[in-house]
Amino acid sequence: MFDKNLSVPIPLLQAEALERRLCPDHEKIPEIKTNIKILKSGYNGEKELNYQLGQIPQHKYHIFHDLRLPIGEVFFQIDVILLSPNILINLDGKNHSGKITIEKNQMIQETTDIREVYENPVSQTNRHKILLRNWIEENNLPKIFMDNLVVFTRFSSEIIITPGYKEAENKVCKSHDLLRKIEDLERYSKKLHMNEQDLFNVSDLLLKKHTPKRIDILETFNILVSDIITGVQCPACLLAPMKYYRHKWMCPICNCVSKDAHIRAIDDYCLIYKPWFTNSEIRKFLHIPSQRIASYLLSTIDFTRVGYKSDTVYHQPSLFP
């Protein structure tokens, strides 16, 4: 069963929000679009991986997508963890296109117009296994047999493994062969390492310790705050700002009318700046004329509130918008 479902990566949502809030001819738009393309490619690969994992009988594994865990003063990220009483399997998904050559010290991607060199994904996933084992020991959890696989999710890519590189031959597969590879690993892990309570404790701790990655999107692309287009954007023509009149947002250009266009705008604020705000801050961003109207709009959304009256801070819910 899926203890942690696949979700859209926050950096992708941040990049898309930033693109929406810049003029189309802004000098950083090409760079942002390239970043969005790369992040979407990775996410599409994760969706293919998720499809394959959905075919595993629910009772066999606890499945976790996109865990980012602390160890010491740093974090490490794992694409997928499969946890059972017998084994913990770490999956690293790759959605690279073209011809992929895996050598002992590197991976080479070749397409029509590029040649890129990357870290060997087998070495990468071996490092993740070591970090995960250290994390388990650090948190006093039961020891368990662990293994890992590198899964290429793009059907059209050609995977070439250097002759004699047995470890890569055993640990690298395409997504359509993933279930067979998992069954192969299960043959080597018949011993029970955890009972149901252990599994529950590990699952609970993984979810509690998971720390989603957020980036300072303005700093990443060197964008000035003054470059950001503020106001509620029209859902039809994307003009900003819309005008608020009698509980409705109205577009002065295309005459579109919306009751909830402010929700996307608040989400953009949280993605671009920070996931919390005061009435004054969001009122300024949305171009709302009064504190009373802002308070009314915020009262219709399930925000976590901290503080009292003018000092109230609204925190973005985990599932928003």
Side-chain angles (χ1 to χ4, degrees), residues 106-129:
Q106 63 188 5
M107 181 182 85
I108 303 170
Q109 177 190 23
E110 296 174 282
T111 62
T112 305
D113 54 352
I114 66 164
R115 183 180 188 274
E116 296 279 355
V117 178
Y118 300 91
E119 178 185 4
N120 177 349
V122 177
S123 299
Q124 183 183 50
T125 194
N126 283 341
R127 184 174 68 252
H128 289 165
K129 184 174 77 170

Side-chain angles (χ1 to χ4, degrees), residues 7-8 10 13 212 214 267 275 302-304 315-321:
S7 59
V8 183
I10 293 176
L13 295 175
R214 289 184 64 99
D267 189 43
D302 188 25
F303 289 114
T304 300
H315 291 262
Q316 180 187 28
S318 57
L319 297 176
F320 179 82

Side-chain angles (χ1 to χ4, degrees), residues 220-234:
T220 298
F221 291 100
N222 195 23
I223 302 291
L224 299 175
V225 173
S226 58
D227 290 344
I228 300 298
I229 298 171
T230 59
V232 174
Q233 285 183 314
C234 173

